[in-house]
Amino acid sequence: MTLALVLEQLLNGVQFGLMLFLMSAGLTLVFGVMGLINLAHGSLYMIGAFLCAAVAGMTGNFWLGLMAGIAAAAAAGALIEIVVIRRLYTRDHLDQVLATFALILILSEGVRMIFGPFPLYLNVPDVLRGTVRLGIVDYSLYRLALIGFGLAVAVGLWALIAKTRLGIQIRAGESDREMIAALGVNIRALYTIVFALGAALAGLAGALVGAIQSVQVGMGEPVLILAFVVIVIGGIGSIKGAMVGALLVGVIDTMGRFLLPRLFATFMDTSQAMGVGAALASMLIYLLMALVLIFRPKGLFPAHG
Amino acid sequence: MDSTRKEWLLNALLAGALFAVPLWAWMASEPFIITLATRIAILAIAGVGLNIALGLGGMVSFGHALYLGIGGYVAGIAAYHAFSGTTVLGLSGTNQMLPIWAMAMALSGLIAGIVGALSLRTSGIFFIMITLAFAQMGFFFTLSWPAYGGEDGLPIFVRNQFPGLNTARPWELFIIAYGVLLAVLGLFAMLRAARFGAALMAIRQNPDRAAAIGISPFGVKLVAFILSGMITGLAGAMMADLTRFVSPAMMAWTMSGELIVIIILGGVGRLFGPVAGAAILVGFEVFFGGLTEHWKLWLGLVLLAVVLFARGGLIGLIAGRAQNG
Amino acid sequence: MKTLRTTALAALTVGAMVSTAQAETVTVGMITTLSGGGAGLGVDVRDGFQLALEMAGEHSIRLVVEDDAQRPELAVQIAERMIQSERADILTGIIWSNLAMAVVPSTVAQDIFYISPNAGPSALAGANCHPNYFNAAWQNDMLHEAAGQHANVLGYENTFIMAPNYPAGTDALTGFKRYYEGELAGELFTQVGQTDYAAEIAEIRASGADSVFIFLPGGMGISFMRQYEQSGVDLPIVSAGFSFDQDVLPAMGSAALGVINTSQWSPDLDNAANEAFVSAFQQAYDRLPSLYASQGFDTANLILSALSSADISDSDAFRDALRAADFASVRGDFSFASNHHPVQTVYVREVVEVDGVLTNRIIGTAFEEHRDVHGENCNM
């Protein structure tokens, strides 16, 4: 085990974590502002990836595809909010879970009807092909770009919430819903905008990840569950919590899969250690989440209120 | 006709139909219909289990597939060791359903006790998510633990035995499932009518007042959660024998979602809600699955309509609002 | 599924209206993967199978096709429905070994025939072999054994080997190691259906290997090769044909060029049955056939050959007719070993580009009349 290998795995963990952050940010915003659990968030990730692959395939231009993916996810998010989600804000969590579970079924089958059962493929844009040398590590340029994208979005989101009028309304909505109504803010429009913003972030993540994996129906669900783990660890409603949670989950998951089998191999038969280590590694983040909830029932960075 | 009488009539109708249809299928030699009815009965048993936690106690567990899977793996592992004549932790396997059921319930109850004791410290969305997290741990554990098939699942080559009946015959297997379903429905009705049920419902409606009159919310809820897990675990053991196959998919989060869907489609907290819900779900899959590849789209639309506009589920729609909802 | 069923039936009613010897209709249930990352394999097996029925002008076979979505529990349910409700006489179609292990033992135990067009797990070739189970493709180890053999020929001495964690994956690595004589730079099991291989590629880079052997069928292989190309690791890859056939080559693109792989079939294989198959397939579906399509085609022709000489209601006669394998296989010489698995030649191929389309070309032979090693554990 060399230092270069450890560093490369760490970078992989950070890249994974930042993609999870894009997913979690929308999820946690929607919960923080509207108090809504949205299981269909993974479907928006899928929509972003499919539209990006379809448009990039037609035009041959990845960046056009990326724009289309983000726009489609945002539009789908706004539409869903207006038609369905709006009716759920006053309902209990059980109804929200069920209604958005129903949306997963509808959106997955809808995408399958339109695009067919085969995975689509999306090529990495030419400028981001190949590798770069980072000190002692050769690292895929595209994965490095994903890290850059993740960080840029995090900074942008922070600026949006801290510096803009919309941000003030969002923060007000998180702490006191009646107050923003009294301030004359159009709550309905604000909610639709926040939901569409979250959807756009999910769509962006889907499109970016789609270029190195296959774009297929159901791709959003494993990521959705991980995003929930992230926001529960970080504290539901907190963007800062989502960032910390996402990096924790990304790095712990990647390093666990990398190191645990090696750890067990020091005192066990190698092939047995592979099995036990892999089993434990895949449970690690859920264990972390349960521990956090047991000792800090509202997550690491509880949102106010 | 008042709504209580309507509900009883509907319940009798459901119980009668669930028996009559496979009886006809048995006489007409249509084994597949009997298999479907058995699946409905077993899913309904799992639903009754969840209904104790969710319907009576208001605990939205998004991880009940865990107990289904535990039950399933107990049946699979016991049969595996009985078949190969090996032992596990010093115990030999068995191919008898009754001891398997007892083990499945004991183990599910134990795990439900641990999960419940930790999860009940939280509430609301955190409770939903922590129950999900525990189920995911089970899912990934079975997925990557190679000893019992891991990802591939574990086939049960010969269905486990029940004294006096031949479980290889679909009709006799159905009789077993139907009998167990009636028994757990009876248990649910007794529980709801007893002081324990009243306390549980009082806690759900107003925990502070319940505490003020001397009911410990934590203890009562924990007992309900354990009972709930045990019954779902029993259903899991039976499910494994029906399909002769156990796989991590039994613990997947979508399975937890389906169990909740069963209860909602039928009617939350209703005695026969899980039966109606399981019948709708299986019927939907078979009927619309035969008509269109995209039946899940229609299932989603129906589910959405039920959540938005018909919160009492099928039974609520026909019999009106529940008395003690 | 209704749509598929009607297409299949419509396809069967087309063709010459010759009166056949059998009045009775035989029902063949096909459980295969038509959605998700593994859909390409199932679609090709189905299309190859249907093409064989069409070319034979056969309408005494009722073909019922259902999608298992690569989920074992779903495959078990479908098998039950096909046996109990559709009253299938023969089941076929399963792509994945873990699904085959879930379905085949209970199916053959109910006196139903199962003819595998793809999966050949070692358990079913050895101790759990069964008179009603036939494999018309290969035993899982075969092509990997050939890859191991050819790695020696290429002079590789330190190979990194990797496969998904399921029965066919274990068989793949075991098969490769059975003939490979060099050292192993590393050995990894990945998750089935895994889409991100960053961690594995990092391990390969750090391992000091001189070559890589992978077994990653369907979408897994595509994801891996695309990420491998981006990683800058440029060790040569040797593999069995599963991961580099017509179903995945278009999506892999240039990443796959020059990869050496082993297979019992290739589109350029020189025999009359294969020429007819390749051109008919291209005409019918407007794409090149894959290894999987050739196996679906052979499976259908095997069944047809047996039906023409025996009645399915007489299981013993039908079984003998299957065992005779009296049909023109597109892979050339073909016969069954005593465990009902093929004895056949395994070729070495290279991925090349012909008229802008990626395809395979035969460059050598790894084994002739090769049979699997598990047959000796089969008492039948």
Side-chain angles (χ1 to χ4, degrees):
Chain A
M1 191 165 67
T2 63
L3 185 63
L5 177 59
V6 176
L7 283 178
E8 184 170 356
Q9 297 289 29
L10 261 177
L11 280 172
N12 287 335
V14 169
Q15 179 251 307
F16 181 37
L18 284 167
M19 289 301 106
L20 282 179
F21 169 71
L22 294 187
M23 274 296 278
S24 321
L27 210 54
T28 207
L29 259 184
V30 166
F31 189 85
V33 179
M34 289 96 101
L36 177 98
I37 305 179
N38 178 23
L39 293 185
H41 204 63
S43 304
L44 298 165
Y45 173 90
M46 171 181 73
I47 288 173
F50 266 93
L51 259 292
C52 178
V55 171
M58 274 188 295
T59 62
N61 186 327
F62 175 83
W63 306 107
L64 277 180
L66 189 64
M67 294 298 165
I70 298 170
L79 184 72
I80 291 169
E81 200 274 343
I82 291 167
V83 177
V84 179
I85 302 285
R86 185 168 281 186
R87 298 164 206 276
L88 297 170
Y89 295 141
T90 54
R91 298 290 192 85
D92 58 21
H93 291 323
L94 176 60
D95 283 359
Q96 298 175 349
V97 164
L98 277 162
T100 52
F101 187 73
L103 283 176
I104 295 182
L105 297 177
I106 295 169
L107 292 172
S108 289
E109 278 307 322
V111 167
R112 200 197 304 278
M113 279 168 85
I114 296 169
F115 292 96
F118 287 103
L120 299 185
Y121 293 95
L122 180 60
N123 273 321
V124 169
D126 285 336
V127 290
L128 296 179
R129 284 176 171 273
T131 58
V132 277
R133 186 142 191 98
L134 300 171
I136 51 168
V137 186
D138 282 314
Y139 200 65
S140 152
L141 183 57
Y142 188 73
R143 286 187 195 273
L144 196 65
L146 291 188
I147 294 180
F149 263 112
L151 291 175
V153 169
V155 171
L157 208 55
W158 169 79
L160 177 83
I161 289 174
K163 307 276 180 199
T164 66
R165 230 183 109 69
L166 180 66
I168 294 168
Q169 293 175 358
I170 291 176
R171 275 180 294 150
E174 281 176 338
S175 48
D176 189 344
R177 268 169 231 169
E178 271 108 58
M179 193 183 76
I180 49 168
L183 286 174
V185 173
N186 182 345
I187 297 193
R188 286 197 145 197
L190 175 66
Y191 283 6
T192 309
I193 290 170
V194 170
F195 198 87
L197 175 66
L201 290 176
L204 170 67
L208 288 176
V209 171
I212 44 172
Q213 301 180 2
S214 56
V215 175
Q216 60 191 32
V217 174
M219 66 187 285
E221 284 153 29
V223 192
L224 168 80
I225 300 290
L226 288 178
F228 269 114
V229 173
V230 165
I231 66 170
V232 168
I233 288 177
I236 301 180
S238 157
I239 297 277
K240 187 167 92 184
M243 187 64 175
V244 174
L247 287 175
L248 268 179
V249 168
V251 171
I252 289 181
D253 187 65
T254 308
M255 296 312 275
R257 285 174 203 282
F258 167 54
L259 292 175
L260 277 181
R262 286 179 157 74
L263 181 71
F264 283 98
T266 55
F267 55 89
M268 280 171 90
D269 167 61
T270 316
S271 66
Q272 228 182 345
M274 296 266 288
V276 179
L280 219 70
S282 58
M283 294 164 67
L284 212 54
I285 50 166
Y286 298 100
L287 213 60
L288 174 73
M289 167 171 162
L291 282 176
V292 166
L293 279 187
I294 290 162
F295 293 105
R296 303 199 55 161
K298 294 217 180 282
L300 295 178
F301 297 92
H304 26 233
Chain B
M1 201 160 40
D2 67 32
S3 68
T4 318
R5 275 195 57 194
K6 256 198 218 166
E7 185 173 344
W8 275 110
L9 211 64
L10 187 63
N11 291 354
L13 202 71
L14 277 169
L18 187 56
F19 189 79
V21 171
L23 180 65
W24 164 80
W26 179 50
M27 291 190 293
S29 317
E30 286 286 349
F32 189 64
I33 293 185
I34 308 177
T35 303
L36 286 181
T38 316
R39 211 161 110 219
I40 292 175
I42 293 174
L43 278 175
I45 297 169
V48 172
L50 180 59
N51 211 11
I52 295 177
L54 197 153
L56 297 183
M59 294 172 266
V60 185
S61 166
F62 201 13
H64 254 53
L66 177 63
Y67 313 107
L68 201 69
I70 291 173
Y73 270 95
V74 167
I77 292 172
Y80 171 80
H81 286 288
F83 190 74
S84 64
T86 49
T87 59
V88 54
L89 305 173
L91 294 169
S92 61
T94 173
N95 60 357
Q96 291 299 316
M97 280 190 186
L98 290 174
I100 286 176
W101 291 355
M103 261 189 304
M105 290 173 77
L107 193 62
S108 318
L110 180 72
I111 303 286
I114 297 169
V115 171
L118 295 172
S119 308
L120 284 169
R121 296 158 53 98
T122 65
S123 62
I125 184 177
F126 291 99
F127 182 82
I128 299 178
M129 290 300 149
I130 195 170
T131 48
L132 172 69
F134 281 113
Q136 287 293 103
M137 276 186 232
F139 173 73
F140 282 109
F141 180 76
T142 53
L143 195 74
S144 40
W145 189 261
Y148 296 107
E151 177 100 36
D152 309 329
L154 184 62
I156 299 177
F157 292 113
V158 183
R159 205 170 264 158
N160 293 307
Q161 306 296 308
F162 191 89
L165 289 169
N166 180 354
T167 55
R169 299 208 181 107
W171 170 247
E172 295 180 32
L173 185 69
F174 170 76
I175 294 293
I176 297 172
Y178 191 74
V180 173
L181 175 62
L182 290 185
V184 297
L185 283 171
L187 181 76
F188 184 86
M190 266 166 48
L191 217 63
R192 192 170 58 171
R195 275 171 54 98
F196 179 77
L200 196 55
M201 285 183 281
I203 292 166
R204 187 189 69 204
Q205 278 150 8
N206 193 336
D208 295 337
R209 202 168 59 198
I213 57 171
I215 304 171
S216 147
F218 184 81
V220 173
K221 281 173 121 174
L222 184 59
V223 172
F225 195 81
I226 293 174
L227 265 177
S228 167
M230 288 170 77
I231 294 178
T232 306
L234 170 64
M238 300 175 73
M239 180 83 80
D241 260 321
L242 174 66
T243 52
R244 275 178 295 194
F245 187 71
V246 201
S247 75
M250 268 178 110
M251 290 196 195
W253 71 277
T254 43
M255 191 73 220
S256 296
E258 268 172 42
L259 289 179
I260 302 181
V261 168
I262 284 174
I263 294 193
I264 300 302
L265 286 179
V268 186
R270 305 285 189 146
L271 178 59
F272 268 67
V275 183
I280 296 174
L281 191 73
V282 172
F284 215 95
E285 184 181 328
V286 171
F287 183 70
F288 285 94
L291 290 182
T292 159
E293 243 178 288
H294 304 291
W295 65 276
K296 280 198 170 160
L297 181 83
W298 301 103
L299 178 66
L301 288 172
V302 168
L303 181 59
L304 195 59
V306 169
V307 176
L308 291 180
F309 308 114
R311 297 186 65 202
L314 178 75
I315 294 183
L317 214 58
I318 296 174
R321 276 183 60 84
Q323 304 299 299
N324 41 20
Chain C
M1 284 309 107
K2 203 73 177 184
T3 47
L4 286 177
R5 204 172 301 166
T6 35
T7 341
L9 283 175
L12 298 184
T13 44
V14 194
M17 284 300 189
V18 195
S19 69
T20 81
Q22 293 125 324
E24 205 185 341
T25 317
V26 173
T27 300
V28 176
M30 177 178 280
I31 307 165
T32 197
T33 304
L34 302 173
S35 61
L41 291 73
V43 168
D44 270 7
V45 163
R46 180 195 68 194
D47 289 352
F49 196 98
Q50 284 183 358
L51 181 68
L53 297 186
E54 270 175 67
M55 284 169 74
E58 189 57 58
H59 46 263
S60 66
I61 288 187
R62 188 172 73 96
L63 180 66
V64 187
V65 185
E66 286 234 25
D67 176 19
D68 59 33
Q70 207 174 333
R71 283 165 50 200
E73 74 285 358
L74 198 60
V76 172
Q77 276 177 35
I78 296 172
E80 193 150 78
R81 174 154 76 245
M82 285 190 165
I83 294 169
Q84 292 185 350
S85 183
E86 304 282 355
R87 316 214 182 245
D89 305 287
I90 302 171
L91 291 190
T92 182
I94 294 179
I95 301 295
W96 309 94
S97 292
N98 51 338
L99 275 70
M101 286 305 292
V103 168
V104 172
S106 69
T107 300
V108 291
Q110 297 176 63
D111 269 338
I112 311 281
F113 283 93
Y114 185 90
I115 321 251
S116 178
N118 197 62
S122 50
L124 295 177
N128 289 318
C129 64
H130 193 282
N132 287 347
Y133 173 74
F134 285 81
N135 188 310
W138 22 256
Q139 197 282 315
N140 281 351
D141 305 3
M142 273 186 177
L143 307 196
H144 307 294
E145 289 168 348
Q149 166 73 19
H150 196 68
N152 299 333
V153 174
L154 291 170
Y156 296 155
E157 287 168 349
N158 197 20
T159 305
F160 193 101
I161 63 176
M162 184 167 100
N165 192 5
Y166 79 122
T170 329
D171 285 354
L173 298 192
T174 318
F176 182 84
K177 286 189 281 188
R178 192 171 289 132
Y179 282 83
Y180 174 63
E181 288 160 358
E183 299 285 314
L184 291 181
E187 183 173 354
L188 267 188
F189 280 115
T190 60
Q191 300 259 330
V192 177
Q194 186 171 323
T195 49
D196 198 330
Y197 292 92
E200 287 77 8
I201 291 171
E203 301 259 11
I204 292 172
R205 192 201 308 274
S207 68
D210 64 0
S211 54
V212 180
F213 166 78
I214 56 161
F215 168 60
L216 293 169
M220 294 181 269
I222 301 172
S223 295
F224 173 80
M225 285 306 289
R226 291 154 60 88
Q227 293 165 27
Y228 188 73
E229 189 190 22
Q230 295 303 313
S231 72
V233 180
D234 52 3
L235 300 174
I237 290 183
V238 59
S239 177
F242 313 121
S243 316
F244 294 93
D245 216 298
Q246 224 55 51
D247 58 321
V248 293
L249 285 179
M252 277 182 188
S254 57
L257 259 182
V259 170
I260 302 294
N261 64 92
T262 53
S263 171
Q264 84 284 4
W265 176 86
S266 181
D268 63 338
L269 199 58
D270 190 17
N271 68 57
N274 194 40
E275 269 169 39
F277 162 64
V278 173
S279 74
F281 192 93
Q282 276 182 291
Q283 202 161 22
Y285 304 108
D286 199 25
R287 63 176 196 270
L288 277 172
S290 69
L291 174 69
Y292 309 105
S294 82
Q295 291 161 189
F297 189 81
D298 272 358
T299 302
N301 280 324
L302 169 68
I303 293 173
L304 287 173
S305 75
L307 283 175
S308 70
S309 66
D311 198 296
I312 186 114
S313 54
D314 182 354
S315 318
D316 290 333
F318 186 70
R319 187 176 305 116
D320 286 338
L322 281 174
R323 206 178 278 138
D326 184 17
F327 71 104
S329 167
V330 294
R331 71 195 94 173
D333 290 340
F334 176 94
S335 62
F336 280 118
S338 61
N339 62 349
H340 293 178
H341 281 64
V343 179
Q344 58 193 357
T345 301
V346 184
Y347 301 96
V348 180
R349 316 184 300 181
E350 182 185 6
V351 178
V352 292
E353 190 169 346
V354 178
D355 304 331
V357 179
L358 289 175
T359 182
N360 276 288
R361 188 183 65 192
I362 293 181
I363 56 168
T365 303
F367 292 124
E368 283 185 18
E369 292 199 14
H370 190 54
R371 62 181 71 207
D372 65 87
V373 298
H374 304 286
E376 55 199 52
N377 299 324
C378 163
N379 301 310
M380 184 155 74

